[in-house]
């Protein structure tokens, strides 16, 4: 009897930590989205200037290599090289621009809807959370369904969660599954791992963005910091452009986007 009570208490502790972990992960996502909404325009401009400087440094390296070998700069070859090495940076910039646009257009949900999202998520999680029900992650249909649940939860998509709640019971019934408290192997180790994960999430970015977002003075100071960095990149870009002009021989012409 005592052993059963200990097992029950261990499971309750583990379950609470699971929900706590998912909650702080969700909060971290929300802080990140709020951070992008607040600072996205400046973050985008800073990154735009940064990759422009990176591009010009790579152009300088390409041109310097040609000069050192006594060759004229092959502009067409250089452009192909620059396009290839800058592809990842440009994709990251596009993602940042898209994220800022999305965050700026997102309408916050009401407090009542927020609580409903949390309640429905917990209801579904008790039934199919892969950590509470070992083996469910090996079922492709349940694994895909759980991913949809987590996405809806992180996005505060109440309508999607309401639909997924109904679908959960349908899927379990069709699979002939009976939801019960399955034995969780190595529960003590998993509990310790959850505690460590919660500590990591709550002591690193993006969770710590809240320290800036909750303080209007820090918001103003961080915006000023971003503006100063942008100005530094602009000045650095000008110096790099002048170096390129000195390196280019043979009348090659370049037009820089600003």
């Amino acid at each position: 009897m005592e052993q059963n009570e200990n097992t029950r208490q261990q499971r309750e502790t583990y379950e609470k930590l699971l929900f706590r972990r998912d909650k702080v992960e969700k909060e971290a996502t929300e802080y990140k989205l709020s951070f992008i909404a607040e600072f996205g325009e400046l973050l985008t401009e800073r990154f735009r200037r940064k990759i422009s400087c990176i591009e010009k440094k790579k152009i300088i390296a390409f041109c310097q290599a040609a000069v050192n070998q006594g060759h004229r700069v092959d502009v067409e070859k250089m452009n192909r090289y620059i396009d290839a090495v800058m592809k990842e940076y440009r994709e990251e910039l596009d993602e940042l621009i898209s994220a800022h646009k999305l965050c700026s257009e997102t309408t916050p949900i009401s407090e009542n809807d927020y609580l409903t999202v949390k309640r429905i998520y917990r209801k579904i999680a008790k039934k199919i959370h892969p950590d509470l029900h070992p083996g469910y992650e090996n079922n492709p249909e349940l694994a895909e369904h759980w991913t949809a649940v987590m996405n809806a939860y992180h996005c505060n998509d109440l309508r999607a969660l309401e639909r997924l709640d109904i679908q959960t019971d349908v899927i379990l019934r069709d699979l002939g599954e009976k939801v019960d408290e399955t034995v969780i192997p190595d529960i003590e180790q998993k509990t310790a791992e959850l505690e460590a994960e919660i500590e990591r999430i709550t002591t690193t970015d993006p969770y710590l963005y809240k320290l800036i977002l909750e303080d209007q003075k820090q918001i103003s100071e961080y915006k000023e910091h971003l503006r100063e960095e942008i100005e530094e990149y602009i000045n650095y870009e000008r110096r790099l452009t002048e170096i390129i002009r000195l390196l280019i021989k043979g009348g090659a012409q370049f037009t820089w986007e600003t």
Side-chain angles (χ1 to χ4, degrees), residues 80-97:
R80 288 197 303 270
Y81 165 74
I82 295 300
D83 285 342
V85 297
M86 296 301 296
K87 182 175 182 293
E88 186 174 340
Y89 291 104
R90 289 167 180 161
E91 288 175 351
E92 188 174 346
L93 176 61
D94 289 341
E95 289 175 4
L96 183 56
I97 292 172

Side-chain angles (χ1 to χ4, degrees), residues 244-258:
I244 292 172
R245 290 196 179 109
L246 294 174
L247 284 171
I248 297 299
K249 304 295 182 181
Q253 298 295 316
F254 294 86
T255 301
W256 306 109
E257 294 184 2
T258 59

Side-chain angles (χ1 to χ4, degrees), residues 32-49 93 96-104 222-223 226-227 230:
K32 180 179 179 179
L33 295 177
S34 297
F35 190 83
I36 293 174
E38 183 69 50
F39 302 107
E41 187 174 345
L42 290 170
L43 290 169
T44 299
E45 180 61 15
R46 180 184 65 174
F47 190 63
R48 192 194 308 277
R49 293 293 180 176
L93 176 61
L96 183 56
I97 292 172
S98 298
H100 179 228
K101 184 174 184 295
L102 178 63
C103 293
S104 300
Y222 189 65
K223 286 183 177 180
L226 289 173
R227 293 189 188 98
I230 290 169

Side-chain angles (χ1 to χ4, degrees), residues 55 58-59 62-63 66 71-84 244 247-256:
E55 181 177 11
K58 291 185 180 298
I59 288 174
F62 186 96
C63 294
H71 301 154
R72 294 179 62 185
V73 176
D74 185 329
V75 177
E76 186 175 336
K77 182 178 179 181
M78 182 186 71
N79 287 337
R80 288 197 303 270
Y81 165 74
I82 295 300
D83 285 342
I244 292 172
L247 284 171
I248 297 299
K249 304 295 182 181
Q253 298 295 316
F254 294 86
T255 301
W256 306 109

Side-chain angles (χ1 to χ4, degrees), residues 14 68 74 93 101 124-125 131 146 153 155 164-165 171 184 196 204 220 226 235 247:
Y14 181 67
N68 291 343
D74 185 329
L93 176 61
K101 184 174 184 295
I124 298 174
D131 289 325
W146 178 246
Y153 176 59
C155 294
L164 291 162
D165 183 23
I171 293 172
I184 301 172
T204 58
S220 299
L226 289 173
N235 293 332
L247 284 171

Side-chain angles (χ1 to χ4, degrees), residues 48-218:
R48 192 194 308 277
R49 293 293 180 176
K50 178 180 178 179
I51 65 173
S52 182
C53 290
I54 292 172
E55 181 177 11
K56 287 176 172 57
K57 287 177 68 175
K58 291 185 180 298
I59 288 174
I60 290 171
F62 186 96
C63 294
Q64 188 64 64
V67 170
N68 291 343
Q69 296 172 15
H71 301 154
R72 294 179 62 185
V73 176
D74 185 329
V75 177
E76 186 175 336
K77 182 178 179 181
M78 182 186 71
N79 287 337
R80 288 197 303 270
Y81 165 74
I82 295 300
D83 285 342
V85 297
M86 296 301 296
K87 182 175 182 293
E88 186 174 340
Y89 291 104
R90 289 167 180 161
E91 288 175 351
E92 188 174 346
L93 176 61
D94 289 341
E95 289 175 4
L96 183 56
I97 292 172
S98 298
H100 179 228
K101 184 174 184 295
L102 178 63
C103 293
S104 300
E105 296 174 350
T106 299
T107 302
I109 67 171
S110 68
E111 179 66 21
N112 185 61
D113 283 350
Y114 185 88
L115 293 174
T116 304
V117 163
K118 180 179 177 181
R119 176 180 59 77
I120 296 176
Y121 161 75
R122 289 174 68 89
K123 177 184 175 185
I124 298 174
K126 283 179 177 290
K127 296 177 181 179
I128 64 170
H129 197 302
D131 289 325
L132 289 174
H133 301 279
Y136 275 16
E137 69 272 18
N138 296 324
N139 182 296
E141 186 175 10
L142 275 174
E144 182 178 352
H145 186 70
W146 178 246
T147 298
V149 169
M150 289 302 295
N151 288 340
Y153 176 59
H154 280 285
C155 294
N156 289 322
D157 192 338
L158 176 56
R159 303 287 86 80
L161 272 176
E162 289 174 334
R163 183 184 71 253
L164 291 162
D165 183 23
I166 297 172
Q167 291 174 341
T168 299
D169 290 335
V170 173
I171 293 172
L172 289 173
R173 185 177 65 246
D174 290 346
L175 291 173
E177 294 284 346
K178 180 182 178 182
V179 177
D180 56 12
E181 294 190 351
T182 51
V183 175
I184 301 172
D186 303 319
I187 192 168
E188 291 183 359
Q189 178 183 341
K190 290 181 178 179
T191 296
E193 290 172 352
L194 273 176
E195 290 173 337
E197 188 174 1
I198 291 169
E199 175 70 13
R200 177 189 60 77
I201 293 170
T202 56
T203 56
T204 58
D205 292 338
Y207 197 90
L208 292 183
Y209 288 163
K210 72 172 185 174
L211 300 178
I212 296 177
L213 295 167
E214 294 173 354
D215 186 329
Q216 191 58 47
K217 181 180 178 182
Q218 288 207 48

